Amino acid sequence: HYFIQSNLSLHRMSHVKQICALILALIGIALLIAAFVGRTPLSNLINEQIKQKVLILPGTDTYEKWRESPVPIYDSIYLFNITNPSAFNRGEKADLALVGPFVYRKIEIKKESNFTGDLEFAMFYDYTRYVFDASETLKYNKVSTLEDRVFIPNIPLIGAVSQIAHNSELGDFVKQLLENLIETYEKGEGIDYLTLNGTVQEVLWGMDDPIMAELYKFGLAPSPQLALQTNGSSDAAAETVPTTVYTGYSDISKLDEYMTYHGRNSSGCWGSEAANRINGTEGSMFEPLLIYNKSRSVSIYNEQLHRAVDLSFNEESQYSGITCYRYTIPDWALESQENNPINEAYYAYIYSGMLNLTKCSSGGNFLNISLSFMT
């Protein structure tokens, strides 16, 4: 009796093994077919989970990090000091000495953010603040301090002369005002009127200047002081007109792309509609799953360059065991019209890599670019 029961058990076990082997074989065939097609049900599930995690939606972890980045951002600021100001004012070539760096923690916050009813768009106001970091500065700069005095070109004066010489739309009143200011400046400052002298702190964040003060009275300058940096929002529109971006809710490929920047969809600076178009992201977020199409370029819009730039895949790198993709600005994007006719709208009559931002800037042609792209 025991012998018969044992044989029955062995027979059943053999039958079960056959069924399991058949099931495993079918699963293996299914996985091979799915792999051949290029996607597996499991990878699709994982991809969908990744997409859901990175959407900019209220109450999510991604939203909080998008609103205020937890990653510390540092700007290292250098100045060129004119070491022969008297000779420079007599028309000689300036001798320059590099001063710095002065390291600042950059805090960027998207204030008063809210969403459209269909969650398609997020709207917010920009706010940027800089905090001096003495300890980080000392790591790279043990010589210069914020109290050191430097000579810089008299940017307001040079700007006023440029406006008179090149701006045909300048009104007679403004033109006469600038000419009077230049004449007064020359008489008051003697041979050194082409340079300004101030501490690093003053040059970066605000120093008194008679031209700026006079223009400010008539609403022709954003501040009565000359400042190469602005603490707080760098653009008045940032506090009054919201910026709108895609949340990725209905189309993940548009994640964090600009719909409008401070209410505008065109920069109005360049020589063609395509060059003026505001598109791409701010550079801190891109659509996920670029691993499937690394060769596709990604676009960013830099508000201080007043233009969109396509970034191309450059190489893979490792960070703490995580594979990262490095995207860079291709050389052709910065070439002059002479070397690359496609760039005529940006670089007409300008050297490669140099942008004429005269039409883009209000209150001075100062450029502070932070190219911090995370992928």
Side-chain angles (χ1 to χ4, degrees), residues 36-84:
F36 180 77
V37 172
R39 297 286 182 90
T40 67
L42 180 60
S43 68
N44 284 337
L45 178 62
I46 294 174
N47 291 346
E48 287 302 316
Q49 287 296 312
I50 292 174
K51 290 178 181 179
Q52 292 302 316
K53 291 292 185 182
V54 300
L55 296 178
I56 305 172
L57 295 177
T60 63
D61 185 54
T62 297
Y63 165 74
E64 294 300 330
K65 293 176 179 178
W66 167 81
R67 192 184 67 83
E68 182 175 359
S69 174
V71 180
I73 301 173
Y74 294 96
D75 275 5
S76 295
I77 301 175
Y78 295 81
L79 292 175
F80 284 108
N81 177 33
I82 300 176
T83 59
N84 60 336

Side-chain angles (χ1 to χ4, degrees), residues 130-328:
Y130 295 89
V131 179
F132 180 66
D133 193 313
S135 60
E136 285 293 320
T137 298
L138 283 173
K139 291 180 181 179
Y140 312 99
N141 173 17
K142 294 180 171 60
V143 178
S144 307
T145 72
L146 292 177
E147 299 308 313
D148 288 352
R149 301 193 71 84
V150 294
F151 284 91
I152 65 169
N154 190 332
I155 299 172
L157 178 63
I158 296 172
V161 173
S162 176
Q163 287 292 321
I164 292 173
H166 303 293
N167 191 346
S168 59
E169 299 179 359
L170 205 63
D172 292 338
F173 169 76
V174 177
K175 186 174 182 178
Q176 186 61 52
L177 174 64
L178 292 176
E179 290 175 347
N180 292 341
L181 287 172
I182 293 170
E183 183 179 351
T184 302
Y185 214 118
E186 290 176 336
K187 290 179 180 178
E189 297 295 325
I191 63 170
D192 292 336
Y193 69 92
L194 287 180
T195 57
L196 294 175
N197 179 239
T199 67
V200 172
Q201 174 73 21
E202 290 172 337
V203 169
L204 289 179
W205 306 109
M207 63 186 298
D208 294 332
D209 179 82
I211 289 184
M212 294 292 288
E214 195 66 23
L215 293 177
Y216 182 72
K217 291 179 182 179
F218 296 93
L220 300 174
S223 168
Q225 291 187 317
L226 167 68
L228 300 186
Q229 292 283 124
T230 304
N231 222 346
S233 300
S234 60
D235 188 338
E239 297 182 349
T240 57
V241 183
T243 291
T244 303
V245 299
Y246 289 91
T247 64
Y249 183 70
S250 63
D251 186 352
I252 195 66
S253 68
K254 292 185 176 182
L255 178 68
D256 201 34
E257 287 190 3
Y258 286 112
M259 172 64 175
T260 62
Y261 180 75
H262 298 164
R264 297 178 287 109
N265 55 21
S266 174
S267 67
C269 297
W270 312 112
S272 72
E273 181 180 346
N276 283 317
R277 188 175 300 121
I278 295 175
N279 64 289
T281 75
E282 64 180 336
S284 62
M285 291 181 69
F286 300 97
E287 69 162 294
L289 308 178
L290 284 172
I291 186 174
Y292 295 123
N293 192 7
K294 291 184 293 187
S295 61
R296 189 179 67 82
S297 62
V298 293
S299 298
I300 61 103
Y301 177 78
N302 185 276
E303 69 275 14
Q304 291 170 319
L305 288 176
H306 297 275
R307 63 165 290 189
V309 179
D310 289 335
L311 307 180
S312 299
F313 175 74
N314 181 269
E315 63 179 359
E316 289 189 9
S317 60
Q318 294 289 321
Y319 180 79
S320 298
I322 300 174
T323 301
C324 303
Y325 304 132
R326 182 184 297 277
Y327 285 77
T328 57

